[in-house]
Amino acid sequence: MAALALKQQNEEGPVVIATPSWSRQSILNFKSYLMFLAMTWAQAFRSILFSMKLDFGDRVSVFVFALGAGVVLWFAFLWCLITTSPLVEWFYRMSRLGREGGNIDWVNSMNPNIYKNLTPEQSFAARSKMGQAPDPNARNPRVFDLDVARLMLQMSALMYERSHPDTVLAVQAMQRSLDVPSLSLDTARQRAAELAERATNIPGRLFKQLVRHEEEAPADEVRSVTHAANASNHSEAAIHLLRDGSSAPTVTDVVRAADEASRGIIDTWASTYGVAFEPVSELASLSKAYCSVFWDPTSTWMVVAFKGTDLRWFEEWATDFTASFFDMSEEIPTFNYVHEGFKERLFPKKVSQGERRPWDTIAASIRLVTKELASIRPPGTLIDVWFTGHSLGSGMGCLAYSKALLSRAELGPHARLRDAYMFAAPVVVDVASRHAFNTAVYAENDIPRTLWRIINRNDAVATALPAFGDSDKYPLNPDNLFFFSHIGIGLHLKSSPSLTHSEGHIITRSNLNYRVQIGSSFTRDELRQQRATAEKQGLTIRWMYSVLQNIPLVGRLLAHAPPNYLDQMDKLALGDCIDKP
């Protein structure tokens, strides 16, 4: 790979750095919107006019969904147009929110100290539990571990911090160096993983493995140089540091520096808590969506994390609203229909020759990490694999977790699937798939595991879309689009002394009724003291952001932000949850 990059460099000269302007990106977004309308209405009319399975009510639901999605996406387009404009960007940087937010992503800026909120004691408690073997008898009640949830939410929030322009720059430079214009990042990672497995036995290090030569500086030197770059202009600053400003950057410089610059905040957090991090898949797109893995080199666990919706990135809005059913029975055994937008991110219909689907890359990364962690421990040691995500990331995470649950062999012989913590999870499947998931996840002959759906207040993503499929009492046709369903046990967070509401814990087909509890390694008094200390040190959100969440519509959008989820989890009452009214 490095030879090819250098060959391209020698033949065509230095790389010219170019990023899409706001106007060009807006035009591309508008084209995407027109494409979405064309595809959505074409599919809708096919279903309305020619489907033999739909009755009149189902045909109405198809029409309403298509119309509603088009209207909502039009406002989403306008929102993206306005919020990404240079003028709004300038006002944000000059505002108090922008100044206090520093270099963290705007979705996390309501708490600029969000990554300092987790104390060493809290981190240690979570990491210790994640590496413990599950108790096969702990089936009822199902315990939501607050310590683990905090760590998972930090990881989900961190996924927003990977610099998207730097990532795209690296991919584009690598595409040119390989002279394969249609090359996806997943394919490149597959090729790089072959080098990585021989060299280090860990996934990722994509760009280092592609461009590194024996005579090049060691990786740690490259990283220290890159981290010295100005965070507001990662790529160019890092490149000029690497090149000493003496000449235009080469392909090798661009790819290496852009990869390093894209992950500075995440690497800093990971090193603080003794965790390793690697991105493993761009999820069949050069949008901001991607999947990464975290793991503890000194323990026996890893986490598969999915990035959520960037509300200023139109392509991700389009993914959320591509809410048609797609048959997944061939991909996920015993499943029926799932949300097509999320499905396309993991299992795209079209894959170019020589490429791997994102799920295949993710599964390969799980096998690679678990094999490496197990190799330095006694024979037979299993590595616990957890899943997490926020927003769009939780939608994809639910499908990925379902695939892992029902295709366990793909994770390899060293992996043991554990729980999933999904924040602001949308509807993802039909009723038949929900039943198939429940049958598998609550199997009596397997270890107890739970997919947790965490909902903050009236979070729009988690609660706005119709979810009549969550209950078996509605007599709708299974093909009706209003029959979308969540999976897992939902927790509607409440502040102490009120008890958190739970749903999805009553499995009618299996005649199961699980009690749901919230547990922690810390006592109620210790949790209150931790909260008081965090408030005193300015590590929580400002009181006004909590108040704003009570405003209709606006509050539902604000409730979606990871800092507000973390703030609400700090206020939970331990012990039993009560049924959601």
Side-chain angles (χ1 to χ4, degrees):
M1 297 301 159
L4 287 172
L6 292 175
K7 180 176 183 290
Q8 169 91 11
Q9 170 186 314
N10 293 334
E11 292 177 353
E12 300 186 13
V15 173
V16 177
I17 299 176
T19 55
S21 64
W22 169 75
S23 58
R24 175 170 173 75
Q25 187 61 56
S26 298
I27 292 172
L28 293 175
N29 286 348
F30 185 66
K31 289 181 178 178
S32 296
Y33 175 68
L34 295 179
M35 180 83 63
F36 175 87
L37 289 181
M39 295 177 63
T40 299
W41 282 106
Q43 186 175 20
F45 281 124
R46 281 197 304 270
S47 299
I48 292 171
L49 298 176
F50 303 112
S51 177
M52 302 300 293
K53 298 188 299 182
L54 303 183
D55 59 22
F56 177 77
D58 300 328
R59 297 177 203 278
V60 171
S61 76
V62 171
F63 179 83
V64 171
F65 253 96
L67 180 64
V71 171
V72 171
L73 273 185
W74 171 248
F75 285 104
F77 167 74
L78 295 179
W79 164 263
C80 295
L81 182 73
I82 294 170
T83 56
T84 57
S85 68
L87 181 61
V88 171
E89 292 273 9
W90 182 83
F91 273 115
Y92 170 75
R93 289 195 301 270
M94 294 299 103
S95 70
R96 180 176 181 176
L97 184 62
R99 294 197 307 272
E100 290 181 346
N103 295 321
I104 68 173
D105 190 87
W106 72 280
V107 76
N108 294 319
S109 60
M110 280 185 281
N111 183 359
N113 294 313
I114 183 173
Y115 302 120
K116 300 176 183 178
N117 186 278
L118 192 70
T119 67
E121 294 77 16
Q122 291 169 341
S123 170
F124 178 78
R127 291 184 289 118
S128 297
K129 291 179 182 178
M130 291 167 65
Q132 291 177 359
D135 181 356
N137 299 315
R139 298 185 178 277
N140 200 357
R142 297 279 165 153
V143 179
F144 172 82
D145 195 295
L146 183 58
D147 307 327
V148 173
R150 279 172 166 165
L151 184 64
M152 294 286 190
L153 182 56
Q154 289 262 323
M155 292 177 179
S156 295
L158 275 165
M159 297 292 283
Y160 289 97
E161 305 301 344
R162 183 165 171 241
S163 169
H164 177 251
D166 293 316
T167 303
V168 172
L169 175 65
V171 175
Q172 290 173 342
M174 185 172 60
Q175 287 174 345
R176 289 193 294 269
S177 73
L178 295 171
D179 196 27
V180 183
S182 62
L183 179 69
S184 74
L185 187 54
D186 288 330
T187 300
R189 288 195 187 283
Q190 176 187 358
R191 299 179 186 178
E194 296 172 359
L195 296 174
E197 186 166 8
R198 291 197 298 269
T200 60
N201 282 328
I202 59 174
R205 301 300 180 201
L206 165 63
F207 303 111
K208 286 192 186 72
Q209 298 300 333
L210 282 176
V211 305
R212 190 172 182 189
H213 295 264
E214 292 181 0
E215 66 272 20
E216 288 182 339
D220 289 342
E221 292 182 21
V222 175
R223 174 155 304 196
S224 64
V225 171
T226 306
H227 284 178
N230 188 308
S232 65
N233 193 11
H234 290 297
S235 298
E236 292 187 22
I239 290 167
H240 283 295
L241 280 171
L242 286 168
R243 299 281 299 172
D244 297 324
S246 59
S247 61
T250 65
V251 171
T252 299
D253 296 327
V254 171
V255 172
R256 185 176 61 190
D259 175 51
E260 293 296 333
S262 72
R263 46 190 287 167
I265 293 176
I266 306 176
D267 282 338
T268 299
W269 180 92
S271 63
T272 299
Y273 296 106
V275 176
F277 158 84
E278 281 299 330
V280 297
S281 175
E282 303 305 312
L283 300 172
S285 171
L286 277 184
S287 73
K288 295 190 177 185
Y290 72 103
C291 173
S292 291
V293 292
F294 295 84
W295 71 95
D296 185 342
T298 66
S299 188
T300 56
W301 60 264
M302 67 174 293
V303 176
V304 182
F306 294 83
K307 179 186 172 295
T309 302
D310 187 320
L311 297 181
R312 302 188 304 163
W313 193 257
F314 183 77
E315 183 179 335
E316 296 179 12
W317 280 96
T319 296
D320 289 338
F321 281 89
T322 306
S324 55
F325 284 136
F326 191 92
D327 186 357
M328 279 293 286
S329 57
E330 293 186 4
E331 295 290 352
I332 303 180
T334 72
F335 261 42
N336 192 40
Y337 293 116
V338 303
H339 184 296
E340 185 174 8
F342 302 143
K343 170 263 171 192
E344 275 297 299
R345 293 286 188 157
L346 293 169
F347 309 96
K349 291 188 289 287
K350 297 180 180 179
V351 180
S352 301
Q353 185 176 3
E355 293 188 9
R356 289 199 301 188
R357 300 172 309 171
W359 166 254
D360 297 327
T361 305
I362 294 167
S365 300
I366 294 173
R367 292 193 297 270
L368 203 58
V369 173
T370 55
K371 178 182 177 181
E372 171 66 15
L373 291 176
S375 69
I376 56 176
R377 287 167 178 81
T381 299
L382 294 177
I383 308 303
D384 293 306
V385 181
W386 306 71
F387 280 68
T388 193
H390 173 264
S391 188
L392 168 65
S394 63
M396 294 182 292
C398 284
L399 288 187
Y401 186 80
S402 300
K403 174 66 173 177
L405 177 68
L406 290 160
S407 301
R408 213 81 55 83
E410 295 189 23
L411 305 185
H414 307 289
R416 177 170 54 199
L417 185 65
R418 296 295 299 277
D419 287 7
Y421 286 74
M422 299 298 174
F423 302 90
V427 291
V428 291
V429 300
D430 70 346
V431 175
S433 298
R434 173 170 63 84
H435 288 312
F437 177 84
N438 287 341
T439 298
V441 79
Y442 300 122
E444 290 294 325
N445 60 349
D446 204 349
I447 65 169
R449 54 174 64 88
T450 307
L451 185 151
W452 298 101
R453 289 187 292 108
I454 301 97
I455 304 107
N456 177 38
R457 305 198 187 198
N458 290 318
D459 181 339
V461 173
T463 63
L465 289 177
F468 291 103
D470 283 358
S471 174
D472 293 326
K473 66 182 180 181
Y474 297 109
L476 295 179
N477 188 313
D479 296 313
N480 192 304
L481 289 180
F482 287 97
F483 228 32
F484 268 112
S485 174
H486 297 94
I487 56 175
I489 295 178
L491 295 181
H492 293 260
L493 306 181
K494 302 294 180 182
S495 299
S496 178
S498 298
L499 300 181
T500 290
H501 295 170
S502 61
E503 63 181 3
H505 58 288
I506 301 175
I507 317 301
T508 54
R509 282 200 172 184
S510 304
N511 196 29
L512 297 173
N513 187 346
Y514 290 105
R515 289 173 54 209
V516 179
Q517 293 181 340
I518 296 176
S520 172
S521 297
F522 304 99
T523 66
R524 290 180 174 86
D525 289 340
E526 288 172 333
L527 291 175
R528 282 194 288 266
Q529 182 58 46
Q530 290 173 0
R531 171 72 185 187
T533 301
E535 289 177 344
K536 185 176 181 180
Q537 295 176 348
L539 303 180
T540 60
I541 64 171
R542 294 182 178 277
W543 65 268
M544 62 179 177
Y545 297 136
S546 182
V547 172
L548 288 173
Q549 292 178 68
N550 296 315
I551 300 176
L553 186 58
V554 173
R556 300 188 75 173
L557 295 173
L558 290 177
H560 186 63
N564 292 328
Y565 269 80
L566 183 61
D567 183 74
Q568 190 60 48
M569 286 202 302
D570 282 347
K571 303 174 183 177
L572 294 183
L574 299 180
D576 288 325
C577 299
I578 58 176
D579 293 354
K580 182 179 181 295

